[in-house]
Amino acid sequence: MTSVGLPHHYTGKVRDLYDVAHDRMLMVASDRISVFDVVLGDEVPDKGRALTALSTFWFEQTASIWPNHMVSSDPTDFPETAGPDVAGRAMLVRNAQPVRLECIARGYLFGSAWSEYEAAGTVCGARLPSGLRMAERLPEPIFTTTTKAPAGHDEALTDAQAAALVGDETFERCREAVLAIYGFGAEHANAQGLVLADTKLELGSVDGELVVIDELMTSDSSRYWAAEEHRVGVSPPSFDKQYVRDYYLKLGWDQRAPAPPLPAEVIEGTRARYVEGYEILTDQSFDEWYGAEN
Ligand SMILES: Nc1ncnc2c1ncn2[C@@H]1O[C@H](COP(=O)(O)OP(=O)(O)OP(=O)(O)O)[C@@H](O)[C@H]1O
Ligand SMILES: [Mg+2]
């Protein structure tokens, strides 16, 4: 773990949180990678920096659409005790009370949504038009939710179940936020030659205001496909964790910890995809992001 001279607050699968003040935290993205909700033994070099770089871009771009928790990713704004190791991978954020839902926007039918649709014609219990195919664009983007399980797999929720968990008003505000942000992200991605098939985000409340927290439209939390490689009916090559998932699916791992080690070329391929995703979406060079070794 990166050495950080701040009080430790929480460690998630990928991020570590540290207290900075009563209303501020430093959120540090590690190079850990989790697949099928299992944290792998291997790390992907530069992954934490790539995730923070891309989240920073999206938080800036979407701030006028919906407020978010980001204060700054510029290391000169961090407390000195944070130390030099966090540059590029850390973000100073406002402390929020997380809404206990994972919120997902889907513009295309893929992953667990495709599996449910194929079996039952529904996604999170809601019926969709019949005859849709894998990776097909949906008539309009849909909002779905899952539980935020502290350990293990997140479970799909129906709208009624989610609203019962967090309250009708919060649920509707989450839907509004997530669809607005996804609409913006999908349009921007499209202009850069990518399809944003789906994305997962978290919201939390800060002083009674519902804001986006955690990460935003990163390669960990989203499915990105090259628009020119997207074909309805097949699994498109992607700029995200699907590459690692596909490796394990081929290997036939039972998805229980510990995960088999990743070969060096899969680690390098994963690193390259995270960096390329950032560069394509932002038109920025990853070498110029904070914390690059010169
Ligand atoms: N501004 C914020 N205020 C409070 N908590 C936050 C904020 N931003 C993110 N978090 C929380 O920090 C954690 C980030 O950890 P990480 O992304 O590694 O976890 P995860 O894989 O999403 O799952 P889990 O939290 O269940 O381990 C999440 O639990 C998220 O809810
Ligand atoms: Mg998270």
Side-chain angles (χ1 to χ4, degrees):
M1 205 189 281
T2 316
S3 76
V4 180
L6 291 166
H8 176 256
H9 181 91
Y10 178 79
T11 287
K13 287 191 277 288
V14 170
R15 269 157 277 277
D16 302 298
L17 300 178
Y18 299 87
D19 292 318
V20 170
H22 72 283
D23 59 350
R24 292 270 190 283
M25 291 195 291
L26 193 69
M27 186 174 74
V28 183
S30 70
D31 291 338
R32 298 191 291 274
I33 180 164
S34 76
V35 182
F36 308 121
D37 286 329
V38 175
V39 180
L40 307 186
D42 300 291
E43 296 200 331
V44 176
D46 287 327
K47 176 174 176 280
R49 287 177 57 240
L51 292 181
T52 299
L54 189 50
S55 274
T56 300
F57 171 79
W58 284 124
F59 279 135
E60 282 168 354
Q61 294 288 313
T62 60
S64 60
I65 297 177
W66 206 274
N68 62 65
H69 70 163
M70 184 170 78
V71 177
S72 174
S73 297
D74 180 343
T76 62
D77 293 330
F78 301 164
E80 228 162 78
T81 50
D85 292 355
V86 299
R89 61 174 69 249
M91 183 183 289
L92 192 63
V93 302
R94 294 187 286 162
N95 204 344
Q97 193 63 45
V99 173
R100 301 307 297 169
L101 292 177
E102 303 266 11
C103 297
I104 300 155
R106 302 174 184 280
Y108 291 75
L109 196 51
F110 205 73
S112 59
W114 165 247
S115 306
E116 184 185 325
Y117 177 81
E118 211 185 2
T122 57
V123 174
C124 283
R127 188 149 296 281
L128 288 183
S130 60
L132 296 174
R133 293 193 291 154
M134 178 170 67
E136 185 159 355
R137 187 177 183 170
L138 294 166
E140 58 186 325
I142 56 171
F143 172 68
T144 66
T145 58
T146 70
T147 57
K148 253 192 77 61
H153 295 286
D154 297 330
E155 305 286 343
L157 294 169
T158 64
D159 287 2
Q161 287 168 329
L165 259 177
V166 301
D168 289 338
E169 198 190 322
T170 300
F171 177 76
E172 285 309 326
R173 296 278 290 159
C174 288
R175 183 206 300 276
E176 201 187 322
V178 169
L179 290 176
I181 288 168
Y182 172 78
F184 176 87
E187 197 175 317
H188 174 85
N190 207 255
Q192 303 297 108
L194 297 183
V195 171
L196 175 58
D198 52 53
T199 192
K200 182 185 84 173
L201 50 103
E202 278 190 57
L203 293 117
S205 106
V206 177
D207 300 330
E209 185 185 33
L210 189 70
V211 307
V212 182
I213 63 169
D214 208 43
E215 60 182 329
L216 188 56
M217 296 191 279
T218 68
S219 314
D220 262 7
S221 63
S222 318
R223 279 198 178 84
Y224 286 107
W225 304 324
E228 58 176 27
E229 290 173 338
H230 171 239
R231 306 270 181 283
V232 173
V234 296
S235 176
S238 63
F239 284 92
D240 54 60
K241 277 203 310 205
Q242 192 62 36
Y243 172 67
V244 182
R245 288 190 201 104
D246 287 346
Y247 169 77
Y248 282 122
L249 289 171
K250 248 211 241 136
L251 198 69
W253 168 42
D254 65 6
Q255 301 180 14
R256 278 184 297 194
L262 281 180
E265 68 268 21
V266 177
I267 293 179
E268 186 40 48
T270 307
R271 180 195 174 276
R273 279 166 176 76
Y274 277 81
V275 170
E276 199 184 356
Y278 167 74
E279 293 190 331
I280 293 175
L281 284 163
T282 65
D283 285 330
Q284 306 285 315
S285 159
F286 185 60
D287 290 339
E288 279 153 38
W289 180 250
Y290 303 117
E293 286 158 339
N294 310 306

